[in-house]
Amino acid sequence: GLSTAVVLSECSKLDNSTIQIIDKVLPPGNQASALSSGLVYYPALLSEKHGRSTIERFKQLSTNSEETGVVITPSVILRRTDEGGVITKPADFTAETLTKLQELDPSFRKATTEELKGAPNGMFGPQPVIAMPTYLQYLKNKLDSHKRVSFEQANISSLQEVFQKTNASVIINAAGIGAGTLTGESVTSLSSHMMLLKHTGKTLARSYYDETNPSGNTYYFPRQDGCILGGTDTTAIGNNVDDTVITNILARVDLMLPELSLKDAQIERTWVGSRPIRASGVRLEVEETNEGPVVHNYGHGLGITTSWTSAETAVELVIKRLNYFSSLEDSSLKRPFEGAGDGEDDQSPKKRRRIQSTDKNVEE
């Protein structure tokens, strides 16, 4: 939601619009985003429409890491197979994948034997690791600096209530797990146990992500505010920490990275994070309701990784619905840290229309 608001505020064609952000907990509160591990998973961006601009945005944010919390970190991502030779998760690390990533950053390469930690396959490359509370506060401050952006803390039970409350021309539904309540759809949560360790002399300057570990999802992410260890992937909704799970995570990370000597680790905090997912996939489209148009932007399941690419697409849909541009591909939409074409304002009257998908299939 915050990423979408930032992109809205950056779009020159919307300079005369006001942006109101409504949330039951204002950032950087205890939202799902604040509890995220903070890894941006570059392979997942290769198929995204705005994947390249997303990567560039994170690189730019990392140049001011103290304020943004974004640090580009050397990362090792491991892949394992079971006894039958079947990859237990999607095979990200094909030669084609590596080639595409090397086009974005030449430093991507296959992981060395030492880096593999016994896994059969893996890749090494720079990826952002984000201290989420710092990052969310940065986005909040950035939006607070715009006079036409406002925040309101409120509990919302329906989209109709938002239209009545705000008299908005367009609503963007980026409510995450709350989108299920607003739409009546099934939105569940992929939950993961995590812990924050204080920085000590025994830390690594690189991330390790072993999602296909047969004993459970295992990762180590050195962030600006400490080291994140995790995790689990379950669809159970809840935030109660299981101490046995935390002990097992410590044991798995210790086995993967014995050089950390985690027996004496100082655990600062434990929690259960969540990533809202939608059974039928991401919903990124315009719905015409009796009260007005709603741009849905939820169900991603990839947390911070797809935040900017989905934000850009959502704003394109808003602009298309408001009839500013005749095409979703209009280059006048300001891209992250790139100049926007001036162009001439489209003065044609506003029309109601149904946009059925995010990219090509537009029915007017």
Side-chain angles (χ1 to χ4, degrees):
L2 289 180
S3 303
T4 305
V6 169
V7 177
L8 282 168
S9 70
E10 292 174 343
C11 183
S12 60
K13 289 293 183 178
L14 295 173
D15 280 348
N16 294 325
S17 302
T18 59
I19 303 167
Q20 185 174 0
I21 302 165
I22 303 175
D23 202 338
K24 65 179 181 180
V25 180
L26 296 182
N30 206 36
Q31 303 113 318
S33 297
L35 301 177
S36 167
S37 65
L39 176 73
V40 178
Y41 185 62
Y42 275 1
L45 290 172
L46 293 178
S47 60
E48 293 290 330
K49 180 180 179 183
H50 299 298
R52 181 179 291 274
S53 62
T54 293
I55 290 174
E56 290 306 313
R57 184 182 282 268
F58 279 121
K59 286 182 178 179
Q60 180 67 25
L61 288 168
S62 72
T63 62
N64 185 19
S65 60
E66 184 173 342
E67 183 178 358
T68 66
V70 179
V71 178
I72 304 297
T73 306
S75 302
V76 179
I77 307 174
L78 306 177
R79 279 290 181 269
R80 300 175 186 271
T81 58
D82 62 20
E83 292 181 358
V86 179
I87 295 178
T88 57
K89 294 283 184 177
D92 298 315
F93 309 134
T94 62
E96 181 182 5
T97 298
L98 184 57
T99 298
K100 289 181 178 180
L101 286 170
Q102 287 173 335
E103 291 174 357
L104 299 176
D105 192 313
S107 60
F108 276 97
R109 57 170 172 76
K110 289 184 177 180
T112 65
T113 301
E114 181 181 358
E115 292 165 344
L116 286 174
K117 303 294 182 180
N121 192 9
M123 183 173 61
F124 173 91
Q127 295 188 121
V129 177
I130 304 173
M132 293 305 297
T134 302
Y135 178 66
L136 294 175
Q137 186 64 63
Y138 165 78
L139 295 180
K140 173 72 161 51
N141 293 343
K142 185 176 180 66
L143 289 166
D144 282 338
S145 68
H146 289 272
K147 293 182 179 179
R148 59 193 184 88
V149 178
S150 64
F151 285 84
E152 179 179 349
Q153 186 169 354
N155 287 316
I156 299 296
S157 59
S158 69
L159 295 171
Q160 292 79 3
E161 181 183 348
V162 181
F163 276 111
Q164 294 169 2
K165 187 181 186 66
T166 64
N167 196 31
S169 299
V170 180
I171 288 174
I172 301 178
N173 172 22
I177 192 69
T181 300
L182 298 179
T183 64
E185 284 199 321
S186 175
V187 180
T188 57
S189 179
L190 191 63
S191 301
S192 179
H193 276 67
M194 288 175 261
M195 69 193 85
L196 177 68
L197 270 58
K198 292 183 178 180
H199 281 302
T200 67
K202 296 178 180 179
T203 58
L204 296 178
R206 65 178 55 183
S207 299
Y208 272 87
Y209 186 31
D210 190 3
E211 186 182 21
T212 53
N213 189 313
S215 298
N217 186 12
T218 305
Y219 51 80
Y220 168 87
F221 303 149
R223 297 196 327 193
Q224 186 186 74
D225 56 346
C227 301
I228 300 292
L229 274 63
T232 52
D233 280 326
T234 65
T235 55
I237 297 179
N239 56 7
N240 293 326
V241 174
D242 186 331
D243 291 338
T244 301
V245 173
I246 294 297
T247 299
N248 290 338
I249 290 171
L250 275 169
R252 293 201 305 271
V253 176
D254 190 45
L255 184 63
M256 180 176 66
L257 301 170
E259 58 268 41
L260 290 176
S261 300
L262 292 175
K263 292 180 180 179
D264 300 323
Q266 299 180 47
I267 300 178
E268 186 169 310
R269 184 186 176 200
T270 60
W271 70 93
V272 178
S274 64
R275 289 179 285 155
I277 56 175
R278 180 172 174 253
S280 54
V282 177
R283 189 175 188 189
L284 197 46
E285 64 179 3
V286 175
E287 177 188 8
E288 299 291 347
T289 72
N290 292 332
E291 290 76 19
V294 177
V295 175
H296 294 289
N297 181 13
Y298 64 90
H300 303 82
L302 286 172
I304 191 68
T305 296
T306 56
S307 59
W308 291 108
T309 181
S310 61
E312 287 198 51
T313 301
V315 172
E316 286 180 339
L317 291 174
V318 169
I319 293 169
K320 180 64 175 178
R321 179 57 187 81
L322 293 176
N323 203 29
Y324 280 108
F325 297 148
S326 61
S327 168
L328 288 173
E329 302 301 325
D330 193 294
S331 60
S332 296
L333 176 61
K334 186 180 293 183
R335 296 284 183 233
F337 309 106
E338 296 176 0
D342 293 334
E344 295 183 359
D345 289 343
D346 185 348
Q347 301 296 333
S348 58
K350 186 186 300 182
K351 301 177 182 178
R352 294 185 67 84
R353 57 180 65 179
R354 176 78 179 183
I355 303 178
Q356 294 184 321
S357 69
T358 59
D359 295 329
K360 298 179 180 179
N361 300 319
V362 179
E363 181 179 331
E364 299 186 2

